[in-house]
Amino acid sequence: MSGKSTATDATRRLAAIDLGSNSFHLLVANYQDSQLQVVAKMGEKVQLAAGLDDQENFTDAAMDRALACLERFAPFVAGVAAADLRIVGTNALRSARNARALIDRAEALIGHPIEIIGGREEARLIYLGAAHALAEVHGRRLIVDIGGGSTEFIIGEDFEPQALESLHMGCVAYTGAFFASGELSEKRFRRAEMAALSELANIQRQYCRLGWQDPIGSSGTIKAVAAVLGARGDGDATLIERDALMKLRKRLIGFGQLDKVAMEGLKEDRARVFPAGVAILCAVFEAFDLQRMRYSDGALREGVLFDLIGRSTPEDSRRHSVELLMRRYSVEASHADHVMETAMVAFDQVSEAWALGEEQRLFLIWAAQLHEIGLAISHSQFHRHGAYLIEYSDLTGFSRPEQQALAFLVRAHRRKFAHKELEALPSAIQPAYCRLARLLRLAVMLNHPRPEQAPVDFQLACKGDDLHLSLPEISFQALLLNDLEQEAEYQKAAGLTLTYDV
C-alpha cells in the first residue's frame, strides 16, 4: 500500500475492517472538524467460526469465503494512508490453530497488517463505538454485543469503560454446540440458555454491584432481534422488551427446525444462527433481570475508527497502559526517562536512513520506559520476566501483535540477542524491530552506571545495518569500554556489526 491518502489536507480518510467470527465489516469515513462522515459501509456473512473443523482449523472453504470478502473490500481502502487503516480480527482468529495461514494470505491480498485483538480489547473498542453513538445519553450504561464466537459485556459512563469482559459464547459457536442437528426444541433452547447462564455467573455479581441505568445492545444478533420485533409491531426496531423477547423465543421453538426459520425483518443469511443468538440474549435478560434493552448502531468498527483518531496523541490509550504498568511494577521513573532520552537521540540520528517512522518511535519510547519492569519479579533474567509481563497482561489499546512486538524489545534489551523472539514477530516488521532493539540496547548500555544526566552527546552513524558509535570523554569510560566490547560481541554473534571510538 502506498501510504498516501486521497483526502485533502484538512480531511483524514479513515478505514476499519472488523474480521468477526460471523461477519466481516468495512467502515470508511472522512474525519474533519472533529466529526466523522461515513463514506462506505459494508458487511458480509463469512461465518469463520462455522468453518472450524474438529481440530480447530479453518477449512479451505472458510478461508476462501474470507479472502473473497476481503477482495471485495480492498478497493474501498486502496487510497487510505497506512496509519489511518486498521484491520482487526476477533474470536475465531484468536482461537483457530491455522489462523496465521489465513492472516498471511489476507495481508498479501489487502496489503496491510491484520491485528488480532484480545477479548477485553474488543470489548473496549465496542464500548468506544457505542458510547460515541450514544454521546447525548448520560448515566452508566451496560453494553452487550453478541458476536459469532464471543459476547462482550461492558459497563461504562460517558467514554470511560469501568468493567470489560469477553465470554466464550456466540451465535455461531452455540449453533454448532446446541443446534448442530438442526432441531429446535424447548430442551435444546434451554440447554443453550443454561450454558450461557453458566458463563454469565462469572461476571453477574460484579456487574450487578456496579449497576447501570441504561442497558444497550449492539451488533448483529441484537440488531436482528430488534428488527424482527419491530417488523411484527412488538417494538420500534430500537427497543427490545422482555415480554416480546419471550414471545420471539416461543415462535422460534415452534419452527421445529433451523432450516424452517423465516421471519419478517430477519435476513436469510442470519436465520440459521439466529436462534442461538436469541438463546444467549434470553440468558442475558435472565441473569441481569433486564426488562428492556435499547439497540445502538455503534459497534466494534466504529470504535476502531475513534481509537485511530486518538492514537499518537496524549489520548492514546496505549500511553495510559504503559504508565499504569510503570506504576504497578514500581519502575524507577528517572532512570527510565534517561534511557528514553538517550534512545530518542539515537533514533533521530538513524531514523531516516533506517526508514523508521512515528509508530516505531512510540514503541521505542515505551520499551525504554518499561525495560526494567521485570525487576519486580527478580533481578536474575529480569528482561525475560519483563517481556512475559508485557506479552500476557491485558494492555488497553494494544493488539496482540503490538504487545508481542513491545515484549520483544524488552526481552532483547540486554544479554544475547533474542533471535527466537524476533523470528516470532510478523515477518514484515522484523527488520524494523531488530533495529529498534539495537538502539534500545545502546541506550541502556550508555545509562548502565545510572548517571544523574542522560548521556546524549554522542554520534551514531549507520551504513546499511552496520552501526558506528562515536563518544566523547565521559566519567565512566572504563566501565563503558567494557560494556561496548561485550555489546559488540553480542551483536557479532547475531550477525550484526557495531563499531565504536571513544
Side-chain angles (χ1 to χ4, degrees):
M1 186 170 292
S2 67
K4 294 182 179 180
S5 176
T6 58
T8 68
D9 291 341
T11 304
R12 284 178 69 187
R13 177 65 62 86
L14 304 173
I17 298 177
D18 157 22
L19 308 179
S21 299
N22 189 43
S23 304
F24 285 7
H25 292 278
L26 163 77
L27 181 61
V28 183
N30 287 334
Y31 181 67
Q32 187 176 20
D33 299 327
S34 301
Q35 298 292 323
L36 281 178
Q37 180 181 20
V38 174
V39 174
K41 192 172 185 177
M42 296 177 64
E44 290 193 19
K45 296 288 184 298
V46 174
Q47 294 192 324
L48 268 186
L52 288 168
D53 64 20
D54 293 341
Q55 284 73 47
E56 295 297 304
N57 287 311
F58 291 130
T59 63
D60 290 341
M63 288 196 185
D64 289 344
R65 291 196 302 271
L67 295 169
C69 177
L70 286 176
E71 192 170 14
R72 288 187 284 274
F73 284 178
F76 292 91
V77 300
V80 179
D84 291 332
L85 167 64
R86 280 191 81 192
I87 307 173
V88 299
T90 59
N91 188 70
L93 283 164
R94 288 195 291 265
S95 58
R97 295 175 61 188
N98 64 342
R100 188 73 250 171
L102 174 57
I103 290 168
D104 287 344
R105 293 173 65 187
E107 288 179 340
L109 185 156
I110 209 158
H112 192 83
I114 293 171
E115 305 174 54
I116 308 304
I117 55 175
R120 285 181 176 155
E121 177 62 7
E122 181 181 354
R124 184 188 72 87
L125 292 171
I126 288 168
Y127 181 79
L128 194 58
H132 277 278
L134 299 163
E136 79 290 350
V137 181
H138 301 287
R140 190 174 289 172
R141 314 178 182 107
L142 167 69
I143 308 288
V144 180
D145 187 301
I146 301 172
S150 64
T151 299
E152 281 62 51
F153 298 86
I154 314 97
I155 291 178
E157 193 164 354
D158 294 327
F159 299 111
E160 292 297 322
Q162 297 167 359
L164 298 163
E165 274 299 341
S166 178
L167 301 184
H168 293 291
M169 54 187 194
C171 61
V172 178
Y174 269 36
T175 298
F178 301 104
F179 304 104
S181 67
E183 179 190 349
L184 280 173
S185 64
E186 172 64 34
K187 182 179 179 181
R188 290 182 180 276
F189 218 93
R190 191 55 185 165
R191 282 181 61 204
E193 290 171 334
M194 290 303 296
L197 286 167
S198 178
E199 289 286 332
L200 285 159
N202 296 313
I203 66 169
Q204 186 176 7
R205 182 175 297 177
Q206 175 199 359
Y207 274 54
C208 289
R209 185 167 56 244
L210 279 170
W212 56 83
Q213 288 79 50
D214 197 12
I216 305 291
S218 66
S219 289
T221 287
I222 294 173
K223 180 180 181 180
V225 169
V228 169
L229 296 181
R232 190 176 172 84
D234 291 330
D236 60 1
T238 62
L239 183 66
I240 300 171
E241 299 278 1
R242 185 167 188 160
D243 288 346
L245 180 62
M246 293 303 106
K247 291 177 183 176
L248 175 60
R249 178 187 186 278
K250 186 175 180 179
R251 286 177 64 201
L252 286 170
I253 294 171
F255 284 110
Q257 294 289 327
L258 287 182
D259 292 341
K260 295 181 179 179
V261 174
M263 298 178 171
E264 187 179 355
L266 179 64
K267 294 180 179 178
E268 186 178 345
D269 59 4
R270 179 168 287 276
R272 187 168 184 84
V273 299
F274 187 60
V278 171
I280 292 171
L281 185 58
C282 288
V284 171
F285 268 68
E286 183 176 343
F288 295 134
D289 194 24
L290 302 180
Q291 298 306 311
R292 63 186 58 82
M293 174 182 285
R294 292 194 301 126
Y295 167 71
S296 168
D297 199 37
L300 177 59
R301 53 197 174 275
E302 287 81 10
V304 170
L305 287 195
F306 284 109
D307 196 57
L308 266 177
I309 292 166
R311 285 201 159 195
S312 304
T313 73
E315 300 306 313
D316 192 332
S317 55
R318 297 174 299 176
R319 189 188 308 266
H320 301 312
S321 289
V322 170
E323 292 170 355
L324 180 62
L325 276 183
M326 292 179 70
R327 291 195 299 271
R328 180 182 298 165
Y329 296 108
S330 302
V331 168
E332 185 183 330
S334 60
H335 179 64
D337 286 345
H338 287 168
V339 173
M340 179 184 69
E341 186 178 352
T342 306
M344 289 301 96
V345 172
F347 182 94
D348 289 340
Q349 292 182 21
V350 299
S351 59
E352 184 175 353
W354 273 1
L356 299 173
E358 188 58 32
E359 188 75 356
Q360 284 83 33
R361 176 190 288 274
L362 284 174
F363 273 76
L364 183 56
I365 288 172
W366 295 332
Q369 291 175 318
L370 296 174
H371 77 280
E372 286 192 335
I373 66 168
L375 288 173
I377 297 176
S378 171
H379 189 278
S380 175
Q381 302 290 313
F382 72 86
H383 53 306
R384 294 177 182 269
H385 300 315
Y388 182 90
L389 290 173
I390 291 169
E391 185 164 358
Y392 295 103
S393 295
D394 276 321
L395 298 186
T396 298
F398 285 92
S399 66
R400 288 187 174 183
E402 287 178 330
Q403 285 188 226
Q404 187 182 15
L406 185 58
F408 160 72
L409 292 177
V410 169
R411 167 65 180 84
H413 87 265
R414 67 193 289 262
R415 301 288 177 87
K416 293 181 181 179
F417 203 83
H419 262 304
K420 180 180 177 182
E421 289 80 0
L422 177 63
E423 291 170 358
L425 298 180
S427 58
I429 70 170
Q430 287 179 21
Y433 278 80
C434 178
R435 290 169 168 176
L436 291 178
R438 297 177 73 189
L439 298 181
L440 180 61
R441 291 172 73 92
L442 289 177
V444 171
M445 181 191 66
L446 290 171
N447 286 276
H448 183 192
R450 284 174 141 73
E452 292 185 6
Q453 300 293 329
V456 295
D457 185 17
F458 61 86
Q459 296 297 316
L460 192 61
C462 63
K463 186 176 181 180
D465 276 321
D466 293 349
L467 274 179
H468 182 79
L469 177 67
S470 298
L471 280 166
E473 190 78 21
I474 52 180
S475 60
F476 48 92
Q477 201 84 356
L479 175 61
L480 177 60
L481 284 171
N482 182 71
D483 286 347
L484 273 170
E485 183 179 345
Q486 181 65 71
E487 180 60 21
E489 289 299 316
Y490 281 140
Q491 297 211 20
K492 182 179 179 181
L496 304 167
T497 300
L498 171 67
T499 56
Y500 53 90
D501 58 66
V502 293

PDB file of all heavy atoms in Angstrom, residues 157-185:
ATOM      1  N   GLU A 157     -19.354   4.816  31.681  1.00  0.00           N
ATOM      2  CA  GLU A 157     -20.049   6.095  31.754  1.00  0.00           C
ATOM      3  C   GLU A 157     -19.325   7.076  30.852  1.00  0.00           C
ATOM      4  O   GLU A 157     -18.093   7.133  30.865  1.00  0.00           O
ATOM      5  CB  GLU A 157     -20.086   6.606  33.197  1.00  0.00           C
ATOM      6  CG  GLU A 157     -21.053   7.748  33.408  1.00  0.00           C
ATOM      7  CD  GLU A 157     -21.368   7.978  34.890  1.00  0.00           C
ATOM      8  OE1 GLU A 157     -20.910   7.174  35.724  1.00  0.00           O
ATOM      9  OE2 GLU A 157     -22.085   8.942  35.182  1.00  0.00           O
ATOM     10  N   ASP A 158     -20.076   7.860  30.092  1.00  0.00           N
ATOM     11  CA  ASP A 158     -19.506   8.743  29.076  1.00  0.00           C
ATOM     12  C   ASP A 158     -18.616   7.893  28.167  1.00  0.00           C
ATOM     13  O   ASP A 158     -19.078   6.926  27.604  1.00  0.00           O
ATOM     14  CB  ASP A 158     -18.756   9.909  29.720  1.00  0.00           C
ATOM     15  CG  ASP A 158     -19.708  10.830  30.487  1.00  0.00           C
ATOM     16  OD1 ASP A 158     -20.866  10.958  30.043  1.00  0.00           O
ATOM     17  OD2 ASP A 158     -19.311  11.383  31.525  1.00  0.00           O
ATOM     18  N   PHE A 159     -17.314   8.229  28.045  1.00  0.00           N
ATOM     19  CA  PHE A 159     -16.434   7.462  27.164  1.00  0.00           C
ATOM     20  C   PHE A 159     -15.453   6.585  27.937  1.00  0.00           C
ATOM     21  O   PHE A 159     -14.482   6.090  27.376  1.00  0.00           O
ATOM     22  CB  PHE A 159     -15.666   8.424  26.235  1.00  0.00           C
ATOM     23  CG  PHE A 159     -16.566   9.221  25.346  1.00  0.00           C
ATOM     24  CD1 PHE A 159     -16.703  10.582  25.534  1.00  0.00           C
ATOM     25  CD2 PHE A 159     -17.305   8.617  24.352  1.00  0.00           C
ATOM     26  CE1 PHE A 159     -17.556  11.329  24.730  1.00  0.00           C
ATOM     27  CE2 PHE A 159     -18.157   9.342  23.546  1.00  0.00           C
ATOM     28  CZ  PHE A 159     -18.289  10.704  23.736  1.00  0.00           C
ATOM     29  N   GLU A 160     -15.727   6.366  29.233  1.00  0.00           N
ATOM     30  CA  GLU A 160     -14.813   5.604  30.077  1.00  0.00           C
ATOM     31  C   GLU A 160     -15.425   4.272  30.495  1.00  0.00           C
ATOM     32  O   GLU A 160     -16.373   4.242  31.274  1.00  0.00           O
ATOM     33  CB  GLU A 160     -14.435   6.403  31.325  1.00  0.00           C
ATOM     34  CG  GLU A 160     -13.585   7.633  31.038  1.00  0.00           C
ATOM     35  CD  GLU A 160     -12.247   7.258  30.421  1.00  0.00           C
ATOM     36  OE1 GLU A 160     -11.662   6.235  30.821  1.00  0.00           O
ATOM     37  OE2 GLU A 160     -11.796   7.991  29.520  1.00  0.00           O
ATOM     38  N   PRO A 161     -14.898   3.136  30.000  1.00  0.00           N
ATOM     39  CA  PRO A 161     -15.378   1.836  30.478  1.00  0.00           C
ATOM     40  C   PRO A 161     -14.901   1.570  31.895  1.00  0.00           C
ATOM     41  O   PRO A 161     -13.780   1.931  32.255  1.00  0.00           O
ATOM     42  CB  PRO A 161     -14.753   0.849  29.487  1.00  0.00           C
ATOM     43  CG  PRO A 161     -13.549   1.550  28.947  1.00  0.00           C
ATOM     44  CD  PRO A 161     -13.865   3.009  28.957  1.00  0.00           C
ATOM     45  N   GLN A 162     -15.755   0.955  32.702  1.00  0.00           N
ATOM     46  CA  GLN A 162     -15.412   0.651  34.090  1.00  0.00           C
ATOM     47  C   GLN A 162     -15.295  -0.848  34.336  1.00  0.00           C
ATOM     48  O   GLN A 162     -14.709  -1.273  35.325  1.00  0.00           O
ATOM     49  CB  GLN A 162     -16.461   1.276  35.020  1.00  0.00           C
ATOM     50  CG  GLN A 162     -16.499   2.798  34.927  1.00  0.00           C
ATOM     51  CD  GLN A 162     -17.734   3.394  35.585  1.00  0.00           C
ATOM     52  OE1 GLN A 162     -18.583   2.673  36.098  1.00  0.00           O
ATOM     53  NE2 GLN A 162     -17.858   4.709  35.545  1.00  0.00           N
ATOM     54  N   ALA A 163     -15.871  -1.645  33.465  1.00  0.00           N
ATOM     55  CA  ALA A 163     -15.743  -3.103  33.545  1.00  0.00           C
ATOM     56  C   ALA A 163     -15.807  -3.647  32.120  1.00  0.00           C
ATOM     57  O   ALA A 163     -16.670  -3.248  31.335  1.00  0.00           O
ATOM     58  CB  ALA A 163     -16.858  -3.705  34.396  1.00  0.00           C
ATOM     59  N   LEU A 164     -14.879  -4.548  31.804  1.00  0.00           N
ATOM     60  CA  LEU A 164     -14.787  -5.111  30.452  1.00  0.00           C
ATOM     61  C   LEU A 164     -14.664  -6.626  30.557  1.00  0.00           C
ATOM     62  O   LEU A 164     -13.809  -7.122  31.278  1.00  0.00           O
ATOM     63  CB  LEU A 164     -13.546  -4.572  29.728  1.00  0.00           C
ATOM     64  CG  LEU A 164     -13.439  -3.067  29.459  1.00  0.00           C
ATOM     65  CD1 LEU A 164     -12.003  -2.704  29.131  1.00  0.00           C
ATOM     66  CD2 LEU A 164     -14.354  -2.682  28.307  1.00  0.00           C
ATOM     67  N   GLU A 165     -15.504  -7.350  29.834  1.00  0.00           N
ATOM     68  CA  GLU A 165     -15.391  -8.813  29.812  1.00  0.00           C
ATOM     69  C   GLU A 165     -15.778  -9.343  28.435  1.00  0.00           C
ATOM     70  O   GLU A 165     -16.627  -8.776  27.748  1.00  0.00           O
ATOM     71  CB  GLU A 165     -16.274  -9.473  30.865  1.00  0.00           C
ATOM     72  CG  GLU A 165     -15.621  -9.584  32.227  1.00  0.00           C
ATOM     73  CD  GLU A 165     -14.348 -10.411  32.238  1.00  0.00           C
ATOM     74  OE1 GLU A 165     -14.125 -11.206  31.284  1.00  0.00           O
ATOM     75  OE2 GLU A 165     -13.573 -10.270  33.185  1.00  0.00           O
ATOM     76  N   SER A 166     -15.152 -10.440  28.073  1.00  0.00           N
ATOM     77  CA  SER A 166     -15.492 -11.161  26.850  1.00  0.00           C
ATOM     78  C   SER A 166     -15.695 -12.623  27.232  1.00  0.00           C
ATOM     79  O   SER A 166     -14.783 -13.262  27.753  1.00  0.00           O
ATOM     80  CB  SER A 166     -14.363 -11.025  25.823  1.00  0.00           C
ATOM     81  OG  SER A 166     -14.645 -11.752  24.644  1.00  0.00           O
ATOM     82  N   LEU A 167     -16.900 -13.128  27.009  1.00  0.00           N
ATOM     83  CA  LEU A 167     -17.228 -14.507  27.380  1.00  0.00           C
ATOM     84  C   LEU A 167     -17.303 -15.391  26.147  1.00  0.00           C
ATOM     85  O   LEU A 167     -17.729 -14.956  25.067  1.00  0.00           O
ATOM     86  CB  LEU A 167     -18.561 -14.551  28.139  1.00  0.00           C
ATOM     87  CG  LEU A 167     -18.628 -13.730  29.432  1.00  0.00           C
ATOM     88  CD1 LEU A 167     -19.972 -13.944  30.117  1.00  0.00           C
ATOM     89  CD2 LEU A 167     -17.483 -14.068  30.380  1.00  0.00           C
ATOM     90  N   HIS A 168     -16.907 -16.648  26.311  1.00  0.00           N
ATOM     91  CA  HIS A 168     -16.833 -17.586  25.181  1.00  0.00           C
ATOM     92  C   HIS A 168     -18.209 -18.157  24.863  1.00  0.00           C
ATOM     93  O   HIS A 168     -18.509 -19.325  25.114  1.00  0.00           O
ATOM     94  CB  HIS A 168     -15.839 -18.706  25.491  1.00  0.00           C
ATOM     95  CG  HIS A 168     -14.427 -18.232  25.570  1.00  0.00           C
ATOM     96  ND1 HIS A 168     -13.712 -17.798  24.477  1.00  0.00           N
ATOM     97  CD2 HIS A 168     -13.598 -18.094  26.630  1.00  0.00           C
ATOM     98  CE1 HIS A 168     -12.501 -17.428  24.853  1.00  0.00           C
ATOM     99  NE2 HIS A 168     -12.409 -17.593  26.156  1.00  0.00           N
ATOM    100  N   MET A 169     -19.034 -17.302  24.289  1.00  0.00           N
ATOM    101  CA  MET A 169     -20.344 -17.755  23.801  1.00  0.00           C
ATOM    102  C   MET A 169     -20.758 -16.819  22.672  1.00  0.00           C
ATOM    103  O   MET A 169     -20.641 -15.606  22.783  1.00  0.00           O
ATOM    104  CB  MET A 169     -21.385 -17.754  24.920  1.00  0.00           C
ATOM    105  CG  MET A 169     -21.531 -16.435  25.658  1.00  0.00           C
ATOM    106  SD  MET A 169     -22.624 -16.618  27.090  1.00  0.00           S
ATOM    107  CE  MET A 169     -22.952 -14.895  27.503  1.00  0.00           C
ATOM    108  N   GLY A 170     -21.209 -17.404  21.572  1.00  0.00           N
ATOM    109  CA  GLY A 170     -21.611 -16.614  20.421  1.00  0.00           C
ATOM    110  C   GLY A 170     -22.597 -17.382  19.576  1.00  0.00           C
ATOM    111  O   GLY A 170     -22.764 -18.600  19.733  1.00  0.00           O
ATOM    112  N   CYS A 171     -23.252 -16.694  18.655  1.00  0.00           N
ATOM    113  CA  CYS A 171     -24.352 -17.327  17.926  1.00  0.00           C
ATOM    114  C   CYS A 171     -23.871 -18.454  17.004  1.00  0.00           C
ATOM    115  O   CYS A 171     -24.575 -19.462  16.843  1.00  0.00           O
ATOM    116  CB  CYS A 171     -25.135 -16.272  17.142  1.00  0.00           C
ATOM    117  SG  CYS A 171     -24.184 -15.370  15.910  1.00  0.00           S
ATOM    118  N   VAL A 172     -22.685 -18.316  16.409  1.00  0.00           N
ATOM    119  CA  VAL A 172     -22.174 -19.391  15.546  1.00  0.00           C
ATOM    120  C   VAL A 172     -21.700 -20.562  16.392  1.00  0.00           C
ATOM    121  O   VAL A 172     -22.027 -21.725  16.116  1.00  0.00           O
ATOM    122  CB  VAL A 172     -21.032 -18.868  14.649  1.00  0.00           C
ATOM    123  CG1 VAL A 172     -20.469 -20.009  13.799  1.00  0.00           C
ATOM    124  CG2 VAL A 172     -21.532 -17.746  13.740  1.00  0.00           C
ATOM    125  N   ALA A 173     -20.933 -20.261  17.433  1.00  0.00           N
ATOM    126  CA  ALA A 173     -20.423 -21.320  18.304  1.00  0.00           C
ATOM    127  C   ALA A 173     -21.557 -22.092  18.968  1.00  0.00           C
ATOM    128  O   ALA A 173     -21.524 -23.331  19.046  1.00  0.00           O
ATOM    129  CB  ALA A 173     -19.504 -20.720  19.366  1.00  0.00           C
ATOM    130  N   TYR A 174     -22.593 -21.399  19.436  1.00  0.00           N
ATOM    131  CA  TYR A 174     -23.710 -22.065  20.114  1.00  0.00           C
ATOM    132  C   TYR A 174     -24.615 -22.803  19.130  1.00  0.00           C
ATOM    133  O   TYR A 174     -25.261 -23.791  19.508  1.00  0.00           O
ATOM    134  CB  TYR A 174     -24.506 -21.055  20.939  1.00  0.00           C
ATOM    135  CG  TYR A 174     -24.016 -20.931  22.372  1.00  0.00           C
ATOM    136  CD1 TYR A 174     -22.655 -21.018  22.662  1.00  0.00           C
ATOM    137  CD2 TYR A 174     -24.892 -20.744  23.436  1.00  0.00           C
ATOM    138  CE1 TYR A 174     -22.196 -20.913  23.969  1.00  0.00           C
ATOM    139  CE2 TYR A 174     -24.436 -20.638  24.748  1.00  0.00           C
ATOM    140  CZ  TYR A 174     -23.092 -20.723  25.006  1.00  0.00           C
ATOM    141  OH  TYR A 174     -22.641 -20.620  26.298  1.00  0.00           O
ATOM    142  N   THR A 175     -24.658 -22.359  17.899  1.00  0.00           N
ATOM    143  CA  THR A 175     -25.402 -23.125  16.894  1.00  0.00           C
ATOM    144  C   THR A 175     -24.768 -24.496  16.721  1.00  0.00           C
ATOM    145  O   THR A 175     -25.455 -25.528  16.703  1.00  0.00           O
ATOM    146  CB  THR A 175     -25.430 -22.381  15.545  1.00  0.00           C
ATOM    147  OG1 THR A 175     -26.101 -21.136  15.711  1.00  0.00           O
ATOM    148  CG2 THR A 175     -26.151 -23.210  14.482  1.00  0.00           C
ATOM    149  N   GLY A 176     -23.425 -24.525  16.625  1.00  0.00           N
ATOM    150  CA  GLY A 176     -22.727 -25.802  16.498  1.00  0.00           C
ATOM    151  C   GLY A 176     -22.818 -26.659  17.741  1.00  0.00           C
ATOM    152  O   GLY A 176     -22.894 -27.890  17.656  1.00  0.00           O
ATOM    153  N   ALA A 177     -22.838 -26.020  18.921  1.00  0.00           N
ATOM    154  CA  ALA A 177     -22.836 -26.780  20.167  1.00  0.00           C
ATOM    155  C   ALA A 177     -24.202 -27.325  20.552  1.00  0.00           C
ATOM    156  O   ALA A 177     -24.312 -28.419  21.121  1.00  0.00           O
ATOM    157  CB  ALA A 177     -22.296 -25.892  21.303  1.00  0.00           C
ATOM    158  N   PHE A 178     -25.286 -26.588  20.234  1.00  0.00           N
ATOM    159  CA  PHE A 178     -26.606 -26.968  20.756  1.00  0.00           C
ATOM    160  C   PHE A 178     -27.672 -27.213  19.678  1.00  0.00           C
ATOM    161  O   PHE A 178     -28.715 -27.784  19.972  1.00  0.00           O
ATOM    162  CB  PHE A 178     -27.105 -25.894  21.726  1.00  0.00           C
ATOM    163  CG  PHE A 178     -26.175 -25.678  22.881  1.00  0.00           C
ATOM    164  CD1 PHE A 178     -25.345 -24.575  22.927  1.00  0.00           C
ATOM    165  CD2 PHE A 178     -26.099 -26.606  23.912  1.00  0.00           C
ATOM    166  CE1 PHE A 178     -24.468 -24.374  23.989  1.00  0.00           C
ATOM    167  CE2 PHE A 178     -25.223 -26.427  24.971  1.00  0.00           C
ATOM    168  CZ  PHE A 178     -24.405 -25.313  25.009  1.00  0.00           C
ATOM    169  N   PHE A 179     -27.392 -26.782  18.465  1.00  0.00           N
ATOM    170  CA  PHE A 179     -28.392 -26.960  17.406  1.00  0.00           C
ATOM    171  C   PHE A 179     -27.774 -27.589  16.159  1.00  0.00           C
ATOM    172  O   PHE A 179     -28.242 -27.375  15.038  1.00  0.00           O
ATOM    173  CB  PHE A 179     -29.027 -25.610  17.047  1.00  0.00           C
ATOM    174  CG  PHE A 179     -29.640 -24.890  18.218  1.00  0.00           C
ATOM    175  CD1 PHE A 179     -29.004 -23.808  18.804  1.00  0.00           C
ATOM    176  CD2 PHE A 179     -30.859 -25.304  18.754  1.00  0.00           C
ATOM    177  CE1 PHE A 179     -29.558 -23.138  19.885  1.00  0.00           C
ATOM    178  CE2 PHE A 179     -31.428 -24.647  19.842  1.00  0.00           C
ATOM    179  CZ  PHE A 179     -30.772 -23.567  20.413  1.00  0.00           C
ATOM    180  N   ALA A 180     -26.707 -28.353  16.335  1.00  0.00           N
ATOM    181  CA  ALA A 180     -25.988 -28.928  15.190  1.00  0.00           C
ATOM    182  C   ALA A 180     -26.869 -29.841  14.346  1.00  0.00           C
ATOM    183  O   ALA A 180     -26.710 -29.933  13.126  1.00  0.00           O
ATOM    184  CB  ALA A 180     -24.755 -29.693  15.678  1.00  0.00           C
ATOM    185  N   SER A 181     -27.811 -30.525  14.982  1.00  0.00           N
ATOM    186  CA  SER A 181     -28.689 -31.441  14.248  1.00  0.00           C
ATOM    187  C   SER A 181     -29.757 -30.704  13.450  1.00  0.00           C
ATOM    188  O   SER A 181     -30.453 -31.299  12.626  1.00  0.00           O
ATOM    189  CB  SER A 181     -29.376 -32.405  15.218  1.00  0.00           C
ATOM    190  OG  SER A 181     -30.293 -31.694  16.052  1.00  0.00           O
ATOM    191  N   GLY A 182     -29.890 -29.409  13.726  1.00  0.00           N
ATOM    192  CA  GLY A 182     -30.927 -28.625  13.047  1.00  0.00           C
ATOM    193  C   GLY A 182     -32.242 -28.615  13.785  1.00  0.00           C
ATOM    194  O   GLY A 182     -33.174 -27.903  13.394  1.00  0.00           O
ATOM    195  N   GLU A 183     -32.348 -29.369  14.881  1.00  0.00           N
ATOM    196  CA  GLU A 183     -33.611 -29.439  15.631  1.00  0.00           C
ATOM    197  C   GLU A 183     -33.749 -28.243  16.572  1.00  0.00           C
ATOM    198  O   GLU A 183     -32.808 -27.855  17.260  1.00  0.00           O
ATOM    199  CB  GLU A 183     -33.649 -30.734  16.451  1.00  0.00           C
ATOM    200  CG  GLU A 183     -34.918 -30.874  17.282  1.00  0.00           C
ATOM    201  CD  GLU A 183     -34.866 -32.034  18.269  1.00  0.00           C
ATOM    202  OE1 GLU A 183     -33.922 -32.857  18.158  1.00  0.00           O
ATOM    203  OE2 GLU A 183     -35.734 -32.100  19.158  1.00  0.00           O
ATOM    204  N   LEU A 184     -34.935 -27.654  16.595  1.00  0.00           N
ATOM    205  CA  LEU A 184     -35.272 -26.595  17.547  1.00  0.00           C
ATOM    206  C   LEU A 184     -36.313 -27.145  18.506  1.00  0.00           C
ATOM    207  O   LEU A 184     -37.385 -27.577  18.091  1.00  0.00           O
ATOM    208  CB  LEU A 184     -35.848 -25.373  16.810  1.00  0.00           C
ATOM    209  CG  LEU A 184     -34.854 -24.423  16.156  1.00  0.00           C
ATOM    210  CD1 LEU A 184     -35.595 -23.378  15.336  1.00  0.00           C
ATOM    211  CD2 LEU A 184     -33.983 -23.742  17.204  1.00  0.00           C
ATOM    212  N   SER A 185     -35.982 -27.144  19.791  1.00  0.00           N
ATOM    213  CA  SER A 185     -36.923 -27.650  20.792  1.00  0.00           C
ATOM    214  C   SER A 185     -36.705 -26.875  22.089  1.00  0.00           C
ATOM    215  O   SER A 185     -35.680 -26.221  22.279  1.00  0.00           O
ATOM    216  CB  SER A 185     -36.689 -29.148  21.047  1.00  0.00           C
ATOM    217  OG  SER A 185     -35.403 -29.358  21.617  1.00  0.00           O
TER     218      SER A 185
END
